[in-house]
């Protein structure tokens, strides 16, 4: 008859697993923050959310399945906490902003530049502040998709799991969100020029 | 009005974001690249869209403060 493993051995083995989990999670904190920064509405809020996320992750580490995507697991916690905080994931606004076509921003930037220039230089007409404020002006639902996929490098599949929406919805929000972002950027160019 | 069925540049515009996302099928990718090779108008826009993505990502990336990093490490559950 096999004997149950001694308690001390079991405890030691679990402690090793937990330490490994904590270290792996902490190693991802830069990436988690980078995404959280733009899911939340301010830097302070992002810092609070990341702390709450790690506190919860460390408490419930047993519910993480080793070998699965830990970064997506952490972001799922963070997104839920963000929603719990009252930033309910909003429905798409009733009056959706007018979206320009995909090349609207390019046409505007290139036109205001006069002579034909290098496309890689054209983007540099946008300032960092323009980009940060244009992104924050994108409605939450659309922004979440952009932040996860274009900034956080999550796959459509991971983004769908994190946001708890179908993958097709991720794709359509991404599509519309990018257009809204470009329209906001084009507006910022007009404002700078006036 | 451009008709995507007939106008190859309008069709290319539709494929541009999926192309940048690497989600086109092999046949669509070949078709898009073939058009981009031939068409400077679309090629300029492709280069712009590609640069824009990189530029946006860089512009919005803020490093985490070292203070926050320390706070996170302090949240670890001590071993008994």
């Amino acid at each position: 008859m096999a004997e149950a493993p001694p308690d001390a051995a079991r405890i030691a083995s679990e402690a090793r697993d937990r330490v490994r989990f904590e270290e792996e999670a902490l190693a991802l904190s830069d990436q988690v923050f980078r995404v959280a920064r733009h899911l939340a509405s301010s830097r302070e809020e992002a810092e609070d959310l990341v702390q709450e996320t790690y506190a919860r992750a460390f408490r419930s580490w047993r519910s993480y399945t080793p070998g699965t995507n830990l970064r997506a697991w952490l972001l799922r916690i963070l997104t839920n906490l963000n929603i719990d905080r009252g930033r309910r994931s909003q429905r798409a606004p009733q009056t959706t902003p007018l979206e320009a076509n995909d090349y609207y921003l390019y046409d505007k930037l290139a036109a205001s530049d006069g002579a034909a220039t290098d496309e890689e230089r054209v983007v540099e007409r946008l300032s960092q502040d323009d980009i940060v404020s244009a992104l924050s002006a994108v409605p939450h639902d659309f922004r979440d998709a952009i932040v996860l996929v274009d900034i956080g490098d999550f796959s459509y599949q991971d983004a769908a799991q994190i946001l708890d929406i179908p993958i097709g919805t991720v794709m359509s929000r991404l599509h519309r969100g990018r257009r809204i972002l470009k329209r906001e950027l084009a507006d910022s160019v007009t404002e700078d020029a006036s | 009005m451009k008709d995507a069925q007939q106008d190859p540049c309008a069709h290319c515009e539709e494929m541009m974001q999926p192309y940048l996302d690497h989600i086109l099928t092999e046949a669509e990718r070949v078709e898009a690249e073939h058009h981009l090779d031939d068409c400077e108008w679309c090629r300029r826009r492709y280069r712009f869209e590609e640069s824009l993505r990189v530029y946006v990502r860089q512009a919005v990336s803020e490093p985490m403060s070292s203070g926050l990093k320390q706070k996170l490490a302090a949240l670890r559950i001590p071993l008994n």
Side-chain angles (χ1 to χ4, degrees), chain A residues 30 38 43 119 156 182, chain B residues 21 44 49 60 62 69:
Chain A
D30 282 301
H38 297 282
R43 186 178 176 99
E119 282 66 37
Y156 292 176
K182 282 194 272 191
Chain B
D21 284 342
R44 280 178 175 277
E49 295 295 329
V60 303
E62 284 177 41
K69 208 159 239 192

Side-chain angles (χ1 to χ4, degrees), chain A residues 142-192:
Chain A
F142 303 112
R143 192 192 341 150
D144 289 352
I146 296 179
V147 170
L148 289 172
V149 175
D150 287 353
I151 296 164
D153 274 330
F154 282 104
S155 65
Y156 292 176
Q157 186 65 52
D158 285 340
Q161 281 181 9
I162 291 166
L163 298 172
D164 199 20
I165 54 178
I167 196 162
T169 309
V170 171
M171 291 167 79
S172 63
R173 286 184 186 176
L174 197 54
H175 178 73
R176 294 203 42 212
R178 285 167 174 162
R179 284 191 171 193
I180 295 170
L181 176 65
K182 282 194 272 191
R183 201 216 39 200
E184 293 289 340
L185 287 169
D187 289 350
S188 72
V189 176
T190 318
E191 284 158 21
D192 290 349

